[in-house]
Amino acid sequence: MRPPSLGRRLAAELALLATACVWGATFPIAKEILRYLPPFAYLAARFAIATLALLPFALRDARRARPDGWRWGAVVGGLLGLGFAFQTLGLRLSGATLAAFLTAVSVVLVPVFGLLLGKRATALEWSGVASATAGLALLTLSGPMRPGLGELLLLGCAVAYAWHIIFMERAAEAMPPLAVGAAQTLGTAVLAALLLPTEGPPREVPAHVWGAVAGMAVVASALAFSVQAWAQGITTPTRVGLILSFEPLAAALFARWWLGEALSPRQWVGAALIIAGIVMAEVKAGGRGAA
């Protein structure tokens, strides 16, 4: 097979950068949506719409799945749903910028949890873990030197996402990309629907909020996943991971412009250390595709 042309690879990488910006924008947008919708109502609606958008393409590709494909699809779907549940609950209590950087720590946790599966981490990966840990301390610890409930929920999200990344390797081997995507959005929608009884019904939700939920579902979930699946077949895994590491920085910019959020100088140093840790982990891992 001929290698992709420079123009085609550049187009794929620009598409990935746009995807990272879209995912970064979801943090402040979700923060605003949560002013009107309870967390699980928002997640159930968003991922039900995303599943419906992906389903026609996923069913076409599902015929190429291995017999164990749907089992792995259920695993990664459940983990993604758990991560989104923690993230959305934490986002109500923390800033959008902080939520984005704490979520991104999931990449650095992968080599740590990999030890439980018999995978050895290299010196570069451990350097990334140390850098991200120092960044976490600077980003979240203040006053009595302990994180708040929002930060703990977001760290729970990072843990769930790290396991999601680990098992995505097996799901991706067993199922075509769009089928994996539909399994993940369906798993998240089902988990959120099961948790709906824990919260009260939404009250007087403006039409523009439902429009934002639909936009998040189609653009940030179904379309962004499809673009990523296409681009990953053209450029290298390392470049995919490094480009997508722009997501928390994009979230910080959008949160500054739309919500007026700002990190302190100490927190920016912490954020920089987290990004450095992610880069070290991605370079060693050859790029781990995001959800």
Side-chain angles (χ1 to χ4, degrees), residues 11 14 24 47 72 115 118 133 157 167 180 201 207 226 263 269 287-288 291:
L14 288 174
F47 285 96
W72 287 115
L115 293 174
T133 301
C157 165
F167 289 117
V180 177
S226 301
L263 297 179
V269 172
R288 301 183 179 95

Side-chain angles (χ1 to χ4, degrees), residues 69-103:
W70 290 109
R71 183 186 69 188
W72 287 115
V75 170
V76 295
L79 287 169
L80 185 67
L82 186 62
F84 265 106
F86 279 125
Q87 184 190 82
T88 308
L89 291 170
L91 188 57
R92 290 208 303 179
L93 302 173
S94 298
T97 303
L98 189 62
F101 280 104
L102 292 183
T103 298

Side-chain angles (χ1 to χ4, degrees), residues 145-162:
M145 295 300 288
R146 62 175 181 268
L149 177 59
E151 287 79 9
L152 291 175
L153 287 167
L154 291 166
L155 288 175
C157 165
V159 170
Y161 279 178

Side-chain angles (χ1 to χ4, degrees), residues 13-31:
E13 291 175 358
L14 288 174
L16 283 170
L17 182 60
T19 299
C21 291
V22 167
W23 282 338
T26 62
F27 287 91
I29 293 174
K31 184 85 174 166

